[in-house]
Amino acid sequence: MREDAILIFVSSLVSVHCHLFTDAGSDQHCEDDTCITDERPCFIPREKGILTRLDGVKVGHKQKVDLGAEGKKVLITRALKPLLFEIPNFLSEEECNHVISLANEKELVKSVARGGLTESDTWTHDPNHGKITIDEIKRFAKVERYLYLTDEEVKRIKDFHTDSDDAGVITREEFQDMNTLLVDSYLYEMGRSHPRHRERFSEQTWLTGEHEDGILQDIRMRVQAVTKLPDEIIYGSEYLQVVRYGVDGHYHAHLDSETHEHPEIPCCHQIQGAGMDRERRCKLCRYVTILYFLNEPPEGGETAFPMADNATFIKENFASLRSKEDFYNLSEFCHKSNLVVTPKKGTAILWYNHEMDPNSGWLGRMDEYSIHGGCAVKRGIKWIANNWITAPYKKLAHVPSQYILGPDIYFSED
């Protein structure tokens, strides 16, 4: 009798927690400390987190993962910093084509990367030879704006801002008459919007109907089998993003997640309508990235990790080298990266953007070595898809995800 009373008391505590954190009604059940409500999975406070992390062993190590009806897949360790795996044939040709077809049915929008505007006038004139040459303009653009201009682009700038017929130089007199701040702004705008120079040049969409699509459900369950992460992490993560790159399409080196150093800023996946309201600040908390190659462009389009397994990595030092060789620029320096993965249809690459906090078992420090990007497509079109697996920090581990990818998709027979 006493044991029954204790069991009823514990069960009531679990129900109260779920009600507090989801505002859900009585239609809920709990298994393994995870409440499933009629709205979404929710977290229950635990002394220890529930994240898992694969063991890469060493670069080149191969391990097999049993996916049940899907058979076994081979995980090849490609790097330890960040911990990164290549999984050949993770998607079938049919699945790749299906994802592309779904994306084509939706409106693909221009991908946008964040940036800031400078209003400082950094142009100076070297009086030594009384003129500015094309090479000097190119060198200025490289050092001050990280732009790698062609001769034709420099000539267009000169023709637009001077009246001289000499296409090769800007004279001292022309320089004195130039609105150099306007030229500076022109270069900034070129870096922001020109297809070849902008930080990111692609189109994207989100497959928000994932829970209604049997093939996408199968892919997500396969991700869970590989990562060994629990339901509330897998099904509380972001929708599948699909990205299309045309010729010159690229995404310069970047991080998929954001810093762990500001605990006062909540994770975006835990805020309803995040990204819609600019007043509600949040940060990306992406524990794992799984990138799928959906096709094979004839030339270019590699995914590069500039600092993978580097002996050391100090972000500030890496940035300071940009005026010499801008390793952020994967259109120019793709193959100087430490790790370059060539697109192979159906292949997935999986890496961890964060460490796992050893004390709490929840999200830990961001792994700066995970900086990566997409190299420029030289010919054809490149299609990829991104699965971002989100996770909370200990402080807000009880707050549910805004994404509703379960429980209605757990046992779909579609």
Side-chain angles (χ1 to χ4, degrees):
M1 187 72 177
R2 182 183 177 187
E3 291 177 352
D4 291 341
I6 292 175
L7 181 59
I8 293 171
F9 174 71
V10 172
S11 299
S12 66
L13 282 179
V14 173
S15 297
V16 168
H17 276 304
C18 240
H19 182 73
L20 281 174
F21 298 135
T22 66
D23 293 327
S26 58
D27 184 17
Q28 57 190 13
H29 67 276
C30 300
E31 295 178 2
D32 299 327
D33 285 345
T34 304
C35 272
I36 304 298
T37 73
D38 55 0
E39 294 184 4
R40 60 180 65 84
C42 74
F43 295 105
I44 296 183
R46 275 159 285 216
E47 291 297 321
K48 197 69 176 175
I50 57 172
L51 297 184
T52 59
R53 185 178 173 91
L54 298 174
D55 184 1
V57 185
K58 63 180 180 179
V59 174
H61 177 75
K62 296 181 180 180
Q63 54 185 298
K64 290 184 178 180
V65 176
D66 191 350
L67 302 182
E70 303 288 342
K72 293 183 178 180
K73 300 294 182 184
V74 177
L75 274 66
I76 306 168
T77 304
R78 297 296 305 273
L80 297 177
K81 296 188 301 184
L83 181 55
L84 185 150
F85 301 92
E86 180 178 352
I87 314 174
N89 303 310
F90 189 79
L91 301 184
S92 67
E93 182 171 356
E94 177 192 9
E95 289 170 331
C96 291
N97 295 340
H98 180 70
V99 172
I100 292 174
S101 176
L102 290 177
N104 278 324
E105 291 173 5
K106 299 174 71 70
E107 180 183 4
L108 279 84
V109 298
K110 183 171 65 175
S111 305
V112 177
R114 299 175 184 174
L117 174 64
T118 176
E119 295 183 356
S120 60
D121 187 349
T122 51
W123 281 70
T124 57
H125 182 270
D126 181 357
N128 291 334
H129 50 67
K131 60 186 179 181
I132 300 175
T133 66
I134 285 178
D135 286 341
E136 286 173 332
I137 296 175
K138 290 168 69 175
R139 188 161 56 250
F140 170 87
K142 172 185 172 182
V143 172
E144 298 293 340
R145 293 291 173 268
Y146 312 125
L147 295 175
Y148 288 77
L149 302 180
T150 65
D151 287 356
E152 286 302 315
E153 287 171 333
V154 173
K155 289 176 182 177
R156 281 199 294 272
I157 292 173
K158 180 186 181 300
D159 292 345
F160 184 71
H161 293 285
T162 70
D163 297 323
S164 173
D165 293 330
D166 187 348
V169 299
I170 296 175
T171 66
R172 184 195 304 255
E173 291 74 19
E174 289 172 333
F175 182 83
Q176 290 173 343
D177 290 337
M178 281 178 66
N179 184 339
T180 53
L181 183 58
L182 182 60
V183 176
D184 221 15
S185 298
Y186 179 82
L187 289 177
Y188 163 77
E189 183 60 26
M190 178 178 283
R192 192 185 70 84
S193 60
H194 189 284
R196 195 170 71 85
H197 296 295
R198 58 185 293 180
E199 183 179 349
R200 185 178 189 183
F201 181 41
S202 62
E203 297 174 306
Q204 66 183 41
T205 192
W206 300 84
L207 301 186
T208 55
E210 179 177 339
H211 59 290
E212 300 172 350
D213 187 282
I215 290 178
L216 298 187
Q217 293 173 32
D218 288 343
I219 294 172
R220 189 164 289 265
M221 286 189 283
R222 207 174 305 158
V223 168
Q224 183 173 27
V226 169
T227 61
K228 299 177 173 59
L229 289 164
D231 286 357
E232 65 193 73
I233 297 296
I234 294 296
Y235 295 108
S237 291
E238 298 177 46
Y239 300 115
L240 187 70
Q241 183 200 53
V242 186
V243 187
R244 178 187 183 276
Y245 296 86
V247 173
D248 287 331
H250 62 272
Y251 192 177
H252 293 331
H254 63 282
L255 294 163
D256 277 353
S257 195
E258 293 184 282
T259 181
H260 58 280
E261 295 176 351
H262 296 283
E264 74 281 3
I265 301 177
C267 295
C268 295
H269 73 278
Q270 295 175 298
I271 295 182
Q272 287 294 321
M276 307 296 288
D277 184 354
R278 294 189 178 183
E279 298 299 320
R280 304 180 69 183
R281 293 185 63 200
C282 63
K283 62 186 177 186
L284 298 172
C285 300
R286 293 166 171 168
Y287 180 46
V288 177
T289 295
I290 305 102
L291 183 153
Y292 310 109
F293 293 115
L294 302 178
N295 77 328
E296 300 172 21
E299 184 179 359
E302 303 90 340
T303 296
F305 295 79
M307 302 307 294
D309 282 332
N310 217 57
T312 59
F313 178 41
I314 301 174
K315 190 175 181 180
E316 291 74 18
N317 293 351
F318 182 63
S320 69
L321 296 173
R322 294 187 70 179
S323 61
K324 297 177 182 178
E325 287 186 315
D326 184 8
F327 293 113
Y328 283 97
N329 187 328
L330 295 178
S331 295
E332 298 290 332
F333 296 103
C334 172
H335 289 278
K336 289 204 171 185
S337 295
N338 288 352
L339 175 63
V340 179
V341 182
T342 301
K344 178 72 175 175
K345 188 173 184 177
T347 289
I349 49 177
L350 179 158
W351 68 89
Y352 292 85
N353 299 302
H354 287 258
E355 303 291 338
M356 190 171 72
D357 180 38
N359 297 318
S360 69
W362 293 110
L363 202 62
R365 294 178 60 85
M366 190 166 66
D367 189 343
E368 301 280 1
Y369 288 88
S370 66
I371 189 168
H372 67 284
C375 302
V377 175
K378 304 298 184 182
R379 291 189 295 126
I381 293 173
K382 168 189 170 184
W383 286 92
I384 65 165
N386 291 304
N387 256 149
W388 283 305
I389 307 303
T390 56
Y393 292 94
K394 178 183 177 181
K395 184 177 180 180
L396 295 176
H398 60 276
V399 178
S401 171
Q402 65 159 315
Y403 295 99
I404 309 172
L405 301 178
D408 53 323
I409 68 170
Y410 290 172
F411 306 104
S412 172
E413 297 179 358
D414 185 358

